[in-house]
């Protein structure tokens, strides 16, 4: 993700987020959804970079020039999923018609006590995937999230569901600490979910075709999976309008085992496979694409960055070494 995108202010600020939360909680979903229209208009008029990014993306996805109405629908879809966080995170599932595809294979691994890496994206609602934890109380879903990037949203979600805060693995810490916590969670048979579509500063990106052009994707999640050798499942929480969601789970790998000397080439292949599946779902639900920046040409995302923090791929090796040393002692 470009540094410029990360520096964009949170739309509406803390007050607006708490206001929509209060309206949703005390006025109900119907009243709150009526508020989405002025919110959409605000973004359409005030947030020029996001509006232009939306139009450019939709033009790619539709194969024609996107209209201002298309952009408004895109922004409204995003706002609707943000609103639904209030209800999804407080367990009010009866409000929604949720269809789940591909769950049996994941459930079998969970029932066997296997830890699984769940790779999501900014396509649809990642929060909708937490329905798993609400419908299976014995299942713990840990989400890797940079708490410092969206503090207002984080505080809102913490207030709605304190368990959310306890289950977050803070991606803002050093690489070794992050990987150790992920490793420990997987060893306990938990699901560890992270977003894998945005290349971030500090992660050398790998490019793969997406909608006709090469796009940058992070290598780190795939290096992590290869080091930890655990199953990888792709997850998409697609908003279908009204109160309808479709949760899709696809087993991507039963456990990557790639010799270190071959990892660069293998990661490129894995990212290509992932991009193909992302495009498949993206074309089925283009208004669910919530990357409101130039995903293909973000300069900061396509440079080879140097970081003060160790890359997670190397950090995984260091964490594994600490674990083995502890056992030997």
């Amino acid at each position: 993700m470009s540094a410029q995108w990360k520096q964009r202010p949170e739309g509406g600020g803390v007050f607006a987020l708490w206001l929509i939360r209060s309206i949703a909680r005390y006025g109900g979903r119907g009243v709150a959804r009526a508020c989405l229209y002025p919110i959409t208009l605000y973004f359409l008029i005030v947030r020029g970079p996001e509006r232009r990014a939306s139009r450019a993306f939709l033009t790619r996805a539709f194969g024609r020039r996107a209209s201002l109405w298309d952009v408004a629908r895109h922004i409204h879809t995003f706002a609707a999923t943000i609103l639904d966080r209030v209800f999804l995170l407080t367990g009010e599932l009866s409000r929604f018609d949720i269809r789940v595809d591909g769950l049996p294979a994941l459930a079998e691994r969970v029932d066997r006590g296997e830890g699984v890496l769940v790779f999501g994206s900014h396509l649809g609602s990642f929060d909708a995937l937490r329905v798993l934890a609400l419908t299976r109380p014995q299942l713990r879903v840990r989400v890797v999230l940079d708490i410092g990037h969206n503090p207002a949203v984080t505080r809102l979600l913490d207030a709605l569901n304190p368990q959310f805060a306890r289950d977050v693995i803070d991606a803002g810490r050093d690489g070794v600490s992050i990987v150790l916590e992920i490793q420990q969670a997987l060893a306990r048979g938990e699901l560890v979910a992270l977003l894998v579509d945005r290349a971030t500063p500090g992660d050398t990106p790998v490019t793969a075709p997406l909608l006709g052009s090469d796009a940058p994707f992070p290598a780190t999640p795939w290096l992590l999976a290869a080091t930890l050798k655990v199953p990888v499942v792709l997850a998409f929480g697609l908003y279908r309008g009204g109160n309808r969601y479709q949760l899709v789970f696809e087993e991507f790998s039963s456990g990557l085992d790639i010799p270190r000397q071959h990892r660069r080439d293998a990661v490129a292949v894995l990212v290509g496979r992932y991009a193909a599946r992302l495009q498949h779902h993206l074309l089925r639900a283009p208004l669910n694409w919530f990357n409101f920046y130039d995903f293909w040409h973000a300069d900061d995302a396509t440079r080879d960055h140097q970081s003060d923090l160790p890359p997670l791929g190397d950090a995984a090796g260091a964490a594994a070494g600490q674990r083995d040393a502890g056992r030997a002692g």
Side-chain angles (χ1 to χ4, degrees), residues 68-150:
L68 194 61
W69 173 246
D70 292 326
V71 175
R73 291 170 59 219
H74 191 194
I75 295 171
H76 185 273
T77 299
F78 175 58
T81 63
I82 296 297
L83 167 64
D84 285 344
R85 288 182 177 186
V86 174
F87 303 104
L88 288 169
L89 292 176
T90 52
E92 299 180 49
L93 302 185
S94 61
R95 293 177 177 270
F96 300 97
D97 176 8
I98 301 175
R99 171 185 165 188
V100 183
D101 297 328
L103 183 58
L106 177 60
E108 285 180 14
R109 291 193 179 280
V110 169
D111 292 341
R112 291 197 297 266
E114 294 184 45
V116 178
L117 283 172
V118 179
F119 285 177
S121 66
H122 293 83
L123 179 69
S125 173
F126 200 50
D127 289 295
L129 303 180
R130 295 195 182 93
V131 168
L132 284 177
L134 296 173
T135 56
R136 297 174 67 96
Q138 75 280 13
L139 174 61
R140 191 175 184 190
V141 181
R142 308 293 304 279
V143 179
V144 181
L145 177 68
D146 187 347
I147 293 174
H149 177 44
N150 288 306

Side-chain angles (χ1 to χ4, degrees), residues 134-322:
L134 296 173
T135 56
R136 297 174 67 96
Q138 75 280 13
L139 174 61
R140 191 175 184 190
V141 181
R142 308 293 304 279
V143 179
V144 181
L145 177 68
D146 187 347
I147 293 174
H149 177 44
N150 288 306
V153 173
T154 301
R155 288 196 297 272
L156 172 61
L157 299 183
D158 289 352
L160 292 172
N161 190 339
Q163 185 63 43
F164 171 83
R166 291 191 290 271
D167 286 343
V168 165
I169 297 175
D170 185 6
R173 297 177 300 159
D174 68 275
V176 171
S177 297
I178 298 167
V179 173
L180 277 174
E181 190 166 357
I182 290 174
Q183 193 175 59
Q184 291 164 0
L186 294 169
R188 291 191 295 267
E190 298 169 357
L191 302 186
V192 177
L194 59 159
L195 300 169
V196 302
D197 56 328
R198 291 181 180 176
T200 60
D203 187 1
T204 302
V206 176
T207 59
L210 186 72
L211 294 183
S213 299
D214 282 346
F217 293 92
T220 289
W222 306 101
L223 293 171
L224 180 67
T227 301
L228 299 181
K229 299 180 177 60
V230 294
V232 175
V233 170
L234 305 186
F236 302 92
L238 303 175
Y239 177 60
R240 294 302 190 180
N243 69 337
R244 294 175 293 116
Y245 281 86
Q246 179 185 12
L247 307 187
V248 180
F249 298 95
E250 298 182 357
E251 183 156 315
F252 188 87
S253 168
S254 59
L256 300 174
D257 189 2
I258 306 168
R260 182 175 291 273
Q261 64 270 26
H262 300 309
R263 282 186 183 171
R264 179 186 296 271
D265 293 337
V267 165
V269 173
L270 293 170
V271 169
R273 284 178 53 201
Y274 167 72
R277 297 311 301 158
L278 179 64
Q279 177 170 295
H280 169 79
H281 291 289
L282 184 160
L283 290 175
R284 293 173 60 220
L287 296 182
N288 277 247
W289 180 256
F290 299 150
N291 284 307
F292 288 93
Y293 71 101
D294 188 349
F295 190 81
W296 285 262
H297 300 112
D299 290 340
D300 290 331
T302 53
R303 288 199 190 103
D304 183 4
H305 292 277
Q306 299 297 321
S307 173
D308 294 331
L309 302 180
L312 286 187
D314 294 341
Q322 290 185 15

Side-chain angles (χ1 to χ4, degrees), residues 20-77:
I20 196 67
R21 177 252 186 182
S22 299
I23 294 172
R25 295 294 293 152
Y26 300 109
R29 188 170 180 265
V31 173
R33 280 182 64 83
C35 296
L36 298 181
Y37 295 104
I39 291 172
T40 298
L41 185 61
Y42 163 82
F43 272 85
L44 203 61
I45 295 172
V46 177
R47 305 282 282 203
E50 287 85 353
R51 182 182 65 247
R52 290 188 290 272
S54 170
R55 173 169 265 167
F57 161 72
L58 292 175
T59 296
R60 280 180 180 269
F62 292 160
R64 59 168 174 81
R65 178 166 173 75
S67 67
L68 194 61
W69 173 246
D70 292 326
V71 175
R73 291 170 59 219
H74 191 194
I75 295 171
H76 185 273
T77 299

